[in-house]
Amino acid sequence: MLALSHYNSTSSLLRTRLCNDSEGSVEARLALDVLARQENFTFVRPTTSGIIIVVLSMTLGIVSNIVALFILANAYTLQRRRSKATFLLFATSLVVTDFIGHLIPGALVLRLYLSGGVRPEDHSSTDGMCQFLGGSMVFFGLCPLFLGCAMAAERCLGVTKPLLHSSLVTTTRTKASLCGIWLAALSVALLPCFKLGSYTYQDPGTWCFIKVLNDIGEVDVAFVVLFSGLGLTSLAVALVCNTISGLTLVLARLRRRPRTHPSANTHDIEMVVQLLGIMITSCICWSPLLVFGLMTALHSYTGSIGEDLLTYKTLMLKGVRLATWNQILDPWVYILLRRTVLRKIYLIAKCQAGLRSSVLGRWEPTSYPSSDKNQVDQV
């Protein structure tokens, strides 16, 4: 505060001197504009409401993931179908990744909030905590997208080519695929350690991410393109695979004879519905940050941001806040879209529809005598 008051008094003296000595000159007007912009740029410390929001979101995410882990562990021990067990293994890995990815970056962000954040002039610094936080954001951001893509591809193969799926997909290969996914995400997150990109503090100084502003180079642009490209490609592949799986199940349902006993397709329908929920959640939560980051980096590299710098900072902040909700909503997708829950929702909706039909039946036209019939009877 002392430094800020000293700065304000100095700027006022310079303004008075410029107005008296060189009134009307172009240099004076330019200098006054610069001073005005600098005075408007003040350091805003994180508020108490922001700290409360961070604590509440962390608590909600931790509780949600723990509940989902308990349900998944119970289902995995009771499940004997190999295809369902493979899906549960993927889902458990996704929830565990979301849990750790919500806990570690959330704790670091909360620490930055409690310390008052990093001042704007220090945003370009690259200390150890910023590197770790930025790497965590990239790693735990790519892992759910990769896992969702792998789960969609596995279900697409199981629905369209069940015999090939039974011969290719095993528990050992599933675990190897999980290790490969985590290793691929970790390799991307560690690229700045080899000078292939960088992490910096982002506005308002309480989180770190890939450098997308302030004199970025070709390597930084390539890093952003790689991160956004991998994320958007994973979402696109998941969309295609889930669409194929859904259409295949719908066609199989329509071709089935009415009196035939329902087969194991109910398990496939349950898994595909859950995958659709995970994909929609990921698209809504992660697409803004992936697109905003790519747009900001490209415009910053070409120098076309200009006076829209504050707008791009706001977009990045909103994008990362929306992305954090993916780790909170993912477990609820599995909790709410289980077969038992869906069956209860279906029965409740059926009962409500039955009540409405019974109420409407009381107002059927046949329950009242026709006016034409009355006239005939009178005649």
Side-chain angles (χ1 to χ4, degrees):
M1 293 297 294
L2 292 176
L4 183 59
S5 61
H6 175 71
Y7 168 76
N8 291 332
S9 61
T10 305
S11 61
S12 61
L13 290 174
L14 288 174
R15 176 177 294 180
T16 304
R17 184 176 299 176
L18 286 169
C19 291
N20 294 333
D21 295 345
S22 55
E23 185 175 1
S25 63
V26 178
E27 293 81 4
R29 292 179 181 177
L30 292 175
L32 288 174
D33 290 339
V34 172
L35 287 173
R37 292 176 183 177
Q38 289 178 350
E39 286 178 358
N40 291 331
F41 185 75
T42 56
F43 174 60
V44 180
R45 289 185 177 275
T47 59
T48 305
S49 60
I51 298 175
I52 294 175
I53 292 174
V54 172
V55 173
L56 290 178
S57 64
M58 283 189 62
T59 305
L60 180 60
I62 291 172
V63 172
S64 302
N65 283 280
I66 288 177
V67 172
L69 279 175
F70 176 78
I71 296 174
L72 283 168
N74 188 28
Y76 188 79
T77 55
L78 298 176
Q79 188 56 240
R80 296 182 180 180
R81 290 184 66 228
R82 194 174 67 178
S83 60
K84 181 68 174 179
T86 302
F87 177 82
L88 291 175
L89 185 58
F90 271 117
T92 304
S93 302
L94 176 62
V95 174
V96 170
T97 304
D98 284 336
F99 176 73
I100 300 175
H102 192 74
L103 185 62
I104 295 178
L108 295 177
V109 170
L110 181 60
R111 178 184 175 184
L112 288 173
Y113 262 100
L114 294 176
S115 64
V118 179
R119 298 186 65 87
E121 58 268 19
D122 298 330
H123 282 187
S124 59
S125 62
T126 55
D127 55 357
M129 189 176 71
C130 181
Q131 296 298 313
F132 183 75
L133 178 56
S136 300
M137 295 282 291
V138 172
F139 175 77
F140 292 111
L142 288 177
C143 278
L145 300 178
F146 289 168
L147 287 171
C149 179
M151 293 168 68
E154 184 269 336
R155 274 297 82 211
C156 183
L157 181 63
V159 171
T160 57
K161 303 291 182 180
L163 295 179
L164 181 62
H165 176 272
S166 61
S167 62
L168 289 180
V169 179
T170 61
T171 304
T172 303
R173 291 177 179 175
T174 302
K175 294 179 180 179
S177 300
L178 291 172
C179 294
I181 289 172
W182 288 325
L183 183 61
L186 182 62
S187 300
V188 176
L190 292 178
L191 286 178
C193 297
F194 303 97
K195 305 301 180 182
L196 300 175
S198 58
Y199 300 118
T200 57
Y201 286 102
Q202 307 288 330
D203 191 73
T206 54
W207 61 292
C208 287
F209 196 59
I210 302 172
K211 186 177 181 180
V212 295
L213 288 170
N214 301 327
D215 301 328
I216 67 173
E218 295 180 356
V219 178
D220 297 318
V221 175
F223 189 28
V224 176
V225 171
L226 177 63
F227 174 75
S228 299
L230 289 175
L232 294 174
T233 302
S234 299
L235 291 175
V237 173
L239 175 62
V240 173
C241 292
N242 287 328
T243 302
I244 295 174
S245 301
L247 292 177
T248 304
L249 290 175
V250 170
L251 292 176
R253 191 85 175 181
L254 293 176
R255 293 172 182 172
R256 195 184 68 187
R257 296 181 180 179
R259 295 184 179 181
T260 56
H261 189 272
S263 61
N265 287 338
T266 54
H267 293 279
D268 294 328
I269 294 174
E270 178 189 16
M271 290 185 283
V272 171
V273 168
Q274 291 173 354
L275 284 176
L276 287 173
I278 293 173
M279 182 196 66
I280 293 173
T281 303
S282 299
C283 288
I284 295 175
C285 294
W286 272 104
S287 294
L289 182 61
L290 296 173
V291 175
F292 292 159
L294 186 60
M295 289 173 49
T296 304
L298 293 176
H299 289 174
S300 179
Y301 179 72
T302 57
S304 58
I305 287 184
E307 298 180 355
D308 298 332
L309 180 61
L310 183 60
T311 302
Y312 283 99
K313 288 183 178 180
T314 304
L315 289 176
M316 289 295 296
L317 183 60
K318 291 182 178 179
V320 75
R321 285 177 177 174
L322 189 60
T324 56
W325 278 95
N326 183 73
Q327 297 163 339
I328 300 175
L329 297 177
D330 267 348
W332 286 104
V333 169
Y334 182 79
I335 293 172
L336 297 178
L337 297 184
R338 288 177 297 147
R339 187 172 53 174
T340 54
V341 178
L342 292 176
R343 185 183 293 112
K344 291 180 180 178
I345 295 175
Y346 172 75
L347 293 176
I348 293 174
K350 187 177 180 180
C351 292
Q352 294 294 329
L355 291 175
R356 290 181 181 179
S357 63
S358 62
V359 172
L360 291 175
R362 299 175 184 176
W363 296 90
E364 289 180 355
T366 56
S367 61
Y368 295 92
S370 175
S371 58
D372 296 336
K373 183 178 180 181
N374 291 336
Q375 292 177 0
V376 172
D377 292 340
Q378 290 177 359
V379 174

